[in-house]
Amino acid sequence: MPGPDDAGPGPGPAVLVAGAGPTGLLAACELLRRGVPVRLVDQAPAPAPAPRALSLWPRALAILDDLGIGDDVRAASVRIDGYRYFTGGRPLAAFAFPPWCAARNLPQYETEALLTRRLHELGGTVERGVRLVDFAPTDGGVTVALRHADGRTERARTPYLLGADGARSTVRERLGTGFTGSTYPMTFAVLDTRVGGAALPSGEIRYYQAPSGTLVIVPMPGEVFRVLTALPAGAPVPGIADMQELIDARGPRGVRITEPVHHAAFRVHARRAAVLRRGRVFLLGDAAHVHSPAGGQGMNNGLQDAHNLAWKLAAVLHGDSPASLLDGYEPEREEAARRIVRDTDVQTRAWMVDGRVRVAARDAAFRLLDRTGAVTRFYAPVMAGHRLAYRPQRRTQGPGRPCGGVRAGELFPRGVVDGAGWALLLAVRPGAGTAWAEEAAAVAAGRRGVRSVRLDLPAVAPATRCRRPGYYLIRPDGYVSAHGHARDTPRLHDELRHTTTADAGRPL
């Protein structure tokens, strides 16, 4: 920690976010729009100009919609409607995305620019050239040491510290937690370029699988295409001419590199932090997990980390929820990261397949998936983020008699209940008894930040797929905290005690 000659502690009531990439920017924006003061620092003197991550899937887009920049993202990006695979230059398989699962491709620096603009609109700023070098827990908060560009070390106090400072996270290092996983043996080479000659489609990602390796072509805005290829361990990093040779050997015929925009090589890791939280310090984004670029999930995962944590912090700091609400961040996001690391690992290893027998088996599997439409029906919604569900922690989160509709831990269908904050949806059958609904609404009225919405069951059932009168306690991030039927209101009482606090003078 800082010595006696350093600057003394500042007032610093704000939550401190270390790292102003997409994850840190979103966390700061989400806290600010919920009325929580934020201090956002980043050691880099300026935003990184490299395109880096591209894909924004529908769940992340929904989060950006709620923030107010979703339309700007769509206007600046290109839409991806599917994947197409080739083997040995011949068509192998095509996987279409339903419109509700389509992704958008936008260079990371443009996503960051839109988030930064929104940050400024919300009254926030990024303190550049400020590096978090150490921290220590104190009573009711965290004391941090910040090194400024002029060499000055500042001490400040914050109620919570959010480490969104990337794969080489200082916060993770100072926490002393492991970063377990592996590094793939190959090097990835990437070239963003405009092309001439043969035309390339702008709405699909193409995978060209050859005995010498896989080459991927990804559309970007501005008629730019990303060419990504995996190189054997120890292979030299290819230059522009080498990348053209790789396109000629593995990819579509007649495509010429005309105007390179960005060229880089990198190693790929699949790692997760052993813990995502210790006391009042949290890890999110690349500080918490890194994985292969296959499937374009990295930035999306970090944005969902930030969204998950920010609303919980705001609810606790405003007194709307008990501090125990924060206990859910680690198990929920650790489970999500584990699934994404697993899925992207499977895709990456498909790129690495060699040998005639293994290649033939892989190609047969792709043909089968194409014929059955399984990817479109089952896997596209997973990639889109629609199928992510958090495992319930308590028996009272579900109904006494299960049904086959939307369950606790799943996303509630958007558009059924509008507005921010906690919502208690009461699905009531017209003409039937409603004493249970009136009791549930009265209970919710005694809790801070919870509003009740009463709708006729026939209007709700098509979205929820449950035809029994009942309730859905919906979290501020759109996930179902609890679901029950008319006779399950005692379970609702318990869940409201777990998740919200009582209004003064109106206990549960």
Side-chain angles (χ1 to χ4, degrees), residues 296-443:
Q297 295 291 323
M299 180 165 55
N300 296 262
N301 201 16
L303 292 174
Q304 291 179 75
D305 287 347
H307 193 248
N308 183 291
L309 180 57
W311 76 263
K312 291 174 178 170
L313 279 175
V316 170
L317 288 168
H318 288 317
D320 294 336
S321 295
S324 59
L325 182 72
L326 298 173
D327 295 342
Y329 171 74
E330 183 171 52
E332 290 180 354
R333 296 311 303 162
E334 191 280 334
E335 181 181 0
R338 177 179 53 80
R339 292 177 183 176
I340 289 173
V341 169
R342 178 198 63 199
D343 291 351
T344 57
D345 182 70
V346 169
Q347 294 180 61
T348 304
R349 294 192 183 280
W351 298 354
M352 300 162 57
V353 166
D354 57 8
R356 291 179 59 186
V357 173
R358 291 181 178 178
V359 168
R362 179 197 63 192
D363 290 354
F366 273 76
R367 291 189 184 98
L368 178 63
L369 291 170
D370 186 5
R371 286 198 304 271
T372 60
V375 170
T376 299
R377 292 200 309 273
F378 303 116
Y379 193 55
V382 172
M383 297 182 69
H386 297 311
R387 296 283 171 83
L388 174 63
Y390 298 130
R391 187 179 292 113
Q393 302 297 309
R394 297 173 299 277
R395 182 180 58 85
T396 51
Q397 289 182 262
R401 193 168 134 202
C403 61
V406 176
R407 295 175 294 182
E410 296 181 348
L411 270 172
F412 194 79
R414 288 175 69 86
V416 177
V417 178
D418 297 323
W422 288 92
L424 178 63
L425 170 62
L426 303 169
V428 178
R429 181 174 286 128
T434 61
W436 69 270
E438 293 165 6
E439 177 191 354
V443 169

Side-chain angles (χ1 to χ4, degrees), residues 203-297:
E204 66 181 24
I205 297 176
R206 294 192 160 197
Y207 295 82
Y208 295 87
Q209 298 169 146
S212 58
T214 298
L215 182 132
V216 187
I217 297 183
V218 184
M220 299 170 62
E223 298 183 345
V224 173
F225 291 86
R226 170 163 292 180
V227 181
L228 177 70
T229 188
L231 307 171
V237 176
I240 303 299
D242 300 315
M243 291 295 284
Q244 180 66 66
E245 290 182 6
L246 287 169
I247 294 173
D248 295 340
R250 301 180 183 178
R253 295 179 180 178
V255 172
R256 301 190 315 275
I257 298 170
T258 60
E259 188 180 341
V261 175
H262 173 71
H263 183 216
F266 56 93
R267 299 293 299 277
V268 171
H269 309 268
R271 300 183 183 275
R272 291 184 289 122
V275 300
L276 302 186
R277 177 198 182 186
R278 191 162 286 163
R280 291 172 173 259
V281 181
F282 296 82
L283 296 175
L284 54 167
D286 286 354
H289 40 71
V290 293
H291 47 79
S292 166
Q297 295 291 323

Side-chain angles (χ1 to χ4, degrees), residues 320-322 394 396 422-424 439-452 471 473-474 481-482 489-502 508:
D320 294 336
S321 295
R394 297 173 299 277
T396 51
W422 288 92
L424 178 63
E439 177 191 354
V443 169
R447 312 305 288 180
R448 294 189 57 171
V450 181
R451 59 194 174 88
S452 296
Y471 62 84
L473 180 61
I474 305 168
S481 179
T489 50
R491 293 171 178 253
L492 175 62
H493 291 208
D494 290 338
E495 282 309 303
L496 286 169
R497 287 193 184 97
H498 276 290
T499 54
T500 63
T501 55
L508 185 64

Side-chain angles (χ1 to χ4, degrees), residues 46-92:
R52 300 179 67 184
L54 292 179
S55 298
L56 288 164
W57 290 92
R59 176 56 189 156
L61 287 167
I63 291 171
L64 298 178
D65 280 332
D66 292 342
L67 184 61
I69 62 172
D71 289 343
D72 295 324
V73 167
R74 291 180 181 85
S77 61
V78 295
R79 175 170 157 159
I80 303 299
D81 292 307
Y83 292 167
R84 190 173 299 274
Y85 287 81
F86 299 80
T87 184
R90 301 182 303 277
L92 174 63

Side-chain angles (χ1 to χ4, degrees), residues 95-116:
F95 305 128
F97 300 151
W100 54 285
C101 293
R104 310 293 305 201
N105 275 5
L106 185 67
Q108 180 173 321
Y109 62 79
E110 294 195 35
T111 301
E112 290 181 5
L114 291 172
L115 286 166
T116 301

Side-chain angles (χ1 to χ4, degrees), residues 15-19 23-24 26-28 31 38-41 132 142 144 158-165 169 171 280-284 287 305-306 309-310 313 329:
V15 170
L16 181 67
V17 181
T23 300
L26 182 69
L31 288 166
V38 174
R39 187 175 181 188
L40 176 58
V41 302
L132 183 140
V142 183
V144 300
T158 178
Y160 293 96
L161 169 62
L162 278 53
D165 49 343
S169 168
V171 176
R280 291 172 173 259
V281 181
F282 296 82
L283 296 175
L284 54 167
D305 287 347
L309 180 57
L313 279 175
Y329 171 74

